[in-house]
Amino acid sequence: MDFSRITGFDSPLFSTLQQILDSADKYASDATRTYVRDAKAMATTPADVKEYPNSYAFIIDMPGLKSGDIKVQVEDDNVLVISGERRRREEKERAKYVRMGKFMRKFVLPQNANTDKISAVCRDGVLTVTVEKLPPPPPEPKRPKTVEVKVVRD
């Protein structure tokens, strides 16, 4: 990434920063790159979470994406993972792309989330993932409490 070209600053500080970043890329392992990429993707994907009486809703803006670009999964029985990729589309005109790349969010679901009842709908560039809640356990029947009566003699 060329900071001086992007920011318009041509200073020794930015060129030194550029050299450091370039050298770090050469020595970074694939696992490190993957971790950094995933961390950036999670940090740049804003989401709203709403709790309703019978469900949870996860709402993420995803303008211009098709359903094939979005993946909704459950990992480890309680982690909702919403991921995807905004790919470069072939265009006849020369265009500069500003918003493209991978995105991902992970949410640890509460115990009462029913991971078998998850639906996802993308409408007008907004993805809504709905996770239904499990019904509350039936209350235990109240049993009469017996109090021992002590007889006191005078």
Side-chain angles (χ1 to χ4, degrees), residues 113-147:
N114 187 349
T115 56
D116 294 327
K117 300 273 184 156
I118 297 177
S119 63
V121 175
C122 193
R123 182 177 297 127
D124 297 329
V126 178
L127 175 69
T128 303
V129 178
T130 303
V131 181
E132 291 186 21
K133 290 182 178 180
L134 292 169
E140 292 186 24
K142 292 189 175 187
R143 298 173 191 213
K145 183 177 177 181
T146 304
V147 177

Side-chain angles (χ1 to χ4, degrees), residues 60-132:
I60 301 175
D61 291 336
M62 298 192 173
L65 291 179
K66 297 178 181 175
S67 64
D69 298 332
I70 303 168
K71 189 188 307 183
V72 178
Q73 298 176 298
V74 175
E75 296 178 349
D76 302 326
D77 293 329
N78 73 332
V79 179
L80 177 68
V81 180
I82 302 169
S83 63
E85 185 171 3
R86 185 182 319 272
R87 294 189 177 100
R88 208 177 266 205
R89 307 282 187 234
E90 290 298 322
E91 293 184 9
K92 294 179 183 175
E93 299 177 19
R94 296 181 77 181
K96 191 185 270 189
Y97 283 88
V98 178
R99 292 184 65 198
M100 56 176 277
K102 296 185 182 246
F103 61 88
M104 175 178 44
R105 282 302 301 261
K106 291 185 178 186
F107 303 93
V108 177
L109 296 172
Q111 287 183 329
N112 67 342
N114 187 349
T115 56
D116 294 327
K117 300 273 184 156
I118 297 177
S119 63
V121 175
C122 193
R123 182 177 297 127
D124 297 329
V126 178
L127 175 69
T128 303
V129 178
T130 303
V131 181
E132 291 186 21

